[in-house]
Amino acid sequence: MDKQFYIDEINRLKKEKTAVIMAHFYQTGDIQDIADVVGDSLALAQKAAETDADIIVLCGVHFMGETAKILSPDKKVLIPDMEAGCSLADSCPADEFEKFVKANPDHTVITYVNTTAAVKALTDIVVTSTNSKKIIDQLPADEKIIFGPDKNLGDYINSVTGRNMLLWDGACHVHEQFSVEKLIQLKKENPDAHIIAHPECKSVVLKMADFVGSTSNLLKYTSNPDVNKFIVVTESGIIHQMEKMNPDKIFIPVPPEIEGQTCHCNECVFMRKNTIEKLYLCLRDETPEILIDEEVRLKAVKPIVRMLEMS
Ligand code: 13P
Ligand code: SF4
């Protein structure tokens, strides 16, 4: 089938079924272009909580679909590929995290949204990279905090808030793998470019960055009228929106540190499992559907609602 067939059918089915398509910035350009909402993890959660649609098709990874279902249990939440997981969420199994929480009973438990519903059920407040500083700044200075699962984001928040949060040892395979050597070389070749990085990157990369932020904040930063060239240290899907918003500017992706690899394939394999064809099939057949045990959902919804209130 040609791409136009999928585009026409998705638009037809969307109206017929009163469905809303939400896409994360790391999706391919064609999926972002057909989506009703394109955003970061916080925006997708906020829109999922507000929508009147009967069906939410979440083009992102599994935890994003779960967050939408937790907030909108009466809606049918679909995801184009059930295998679209997240290495960061996988680095924090709920049974192990529960032991960590129990071993530190006097701590407030804050988790990044990149977790399973079962981990959220063990959490006091969920955060995203957009609101983490704002939320943590609202807690008393002497509050003891456990932060999981991303040690790089946790380290970064500790550095910008002056906290000493106890960190879970998890990481994202995409953001951990950016090559520092290639980043230095790109900066040498493009001294006028600003380095912009997601806080899931290692601290050595964040120290080199002119700006550190969530996907939506990186995107906003690119409209800075004084800068025309950016070295982008996050998943390359975001460059689609950056180029749309700034057609005259230059965006340079940073390659990962993989032996013998010369391509710029800094892509999240999980995010890229979704395709326009799978999006069409999932809307047509209304599967795969995200389902969550109600007992877990009732526990997991509290820290997400708390996040939305504190954002
Ligand atoms: P954002 O919340 O910045 O969109 O990040 C989501 C994510 O998975 C980053 O790897
Ligand atoms: Fe998870 Fe990393 Fe992919 Fe984001 S980029 S969804 S943190 S694996």
Side-chain angles (χ1 to χ4, degrees):
M1 294 292 176
D2 72 343
K3 195 179 266 186
Q4 196 54 49
F5 168 82
Y6 296 125
I7 293 172
D8 294 343
E9 278 300 286
I10 290 166
N11 282 325
R12 185 184 68 75
L13 289 166
K14 199 167 73 172
K15 277 197 203 112
E16 186 184 298
K17 299 186 180 219
T18 327
V20 63
I21 299 176
M22 302 191 184
H24 188 264
F25 289 128
Y26 294 164
Q27 294 294 282
T28 50
D30 52 1
I31 293 181
Q32 293 189 40
D33 289 344
I34 205 162
D36 304 290
V37 176
V38 184
D40 67 359
S41 338
L42 177 62
L44 297 180
Q46 286 167 328
K47 297 289 177 188
E50 287 164 8
T51 185
D52 303 328
D54 298 326
I55 296 177
I56 299 171
V57 187
L58 204 305
C59 301
V61 290
H62 190 266
F63 77 80
M64 295 177 177
E66 272 193 342
T67 306
K69 183 68 181 176
I70 291 167
L71 287 165
S72 288
D74 301 333
K75 315 272 179 209
K76 187 176 256 189
V77 178
L78 306 172
I79 176 167
D81 190 325
M82 210 42 140
E83 300 295 308
C86 168
S87 60
L88 181 50
D90 290 348
S91 70
C92 189
D95 54 342
E96 295 292 317
F97 192 66
E98 187 169 16
K99 285 183 205 155
F100 183 58
V101 169
K102 283 196 174 142
N104 298 283
D106 51 346
H107 286 62
T108 296
V109 181
I110 299 189
T111 59
Y112 192 30
V113 71
N114 299 39
T115 52
T116 59
V119 168
K120 289 186 177 76
L122 300 165
T123 295
D124 296 308
I125 315 171
V126 167
V127 297
T128 74
S129 42
T130 292
N131 59 23
S132 53
K133 180 176 184 310
K134 183 174 180 185
I135 289 177
I136 289 165
D137 279 345
Q138 291 172 55
L139 302 178
D142 58 352
E143 188 141 338
K144 290 184 184 167
I145 301 172
I146 282 176
F147 183 86
D150 191 5
K151 62 176 184 222
N152 293 317
L153 176 64
D155 243 348
Y156 176 71
I157 301 171
N158 274 341
S159 75
V160 293
T161 60
R163 303 265 174 175
N164 187 21
M165 301 187 300
L166 206 53
L167 307 182
W168 178 262
D169 188 13
C172 154
H173 75 292
V174 179
H175 289 86
E176 280 250 300
Q177 271 192 10
F178 286 112
S179 161
V180 176
E181 225 172 77
K182 288 170 192 160
L183 178 58
I184 293 169
Q185 188 189 327
L186 283 170
K187 181 67 182 173
K188 251 193 207 155
E189 289 163 7
N190 302 277
D192 54 330
H194 276 202
I195 297 175
I196 58 174
H198 195 280
E200 286 174 23
C201 295
K202 289 186 281 195
S203 67
V204 57
V205 169
L206 299 182
K207 283 190 184 111
M208 289 174 67
D210 296 282
F211 182 75
V212 175
S214 62
T215 51
S216 56
N217 285 333
L218 295 180
L219 184 60
K220 269 186 217 149
Y221 186 79
T222 60
S223 56
N224 180 341
D226 301 327
V227 191
N228 289 314
K229 210 187 256 188
F230 301 87
I231 299 172
V232 182
V233 208
T234 191
E235 214 270 3
S236 55
I238 185 78
I239 292 177
H240 181 68
Q241 291 297 327
M242 290 175 173
E243 287 178 338
K244 267 177 102 171
M245 275 176 57
N246 308 281
D248 301 327
K249 297 191 181 185
I250 295 165
F251 299 95
I252 306 164
V254 179
E257 188 68 81
I258 298 175
E259 209 52 49
Q261 195 159 310
T262 49
C263 70
H264 280 185
C265 30
N266 42 9
E267 293 172 354
C268 171
V269 287
F270 302 110
M271 285 278 180
R272 302 306 175 114
K273 281 199 175 284
N274 298 328
T275 62
I276 197 97
E277 182 185 1
K278 288 183 195 167
L279 168 55
Y280 156 68
L281 292 173
C282 130
L283 193 51
R284 186 191 72 181
D285 303 339
E286 300 188 22
T287 188
E289 181 181 359
I290 301 272
L291 297 168
I292 302 175
D293 174 82
E294 186 59 7
E295 204 180 312
V296 173
R297 192 194 72 79
L298 288 172
K299 287 184 189 154
V301 75
K302 289 183 197 158
I304 305 177
V305 169
R306 203 149 169 224
M307 166 184 84
L308 295 175
E309 288 165 356
M310 293 174 86
S311 288

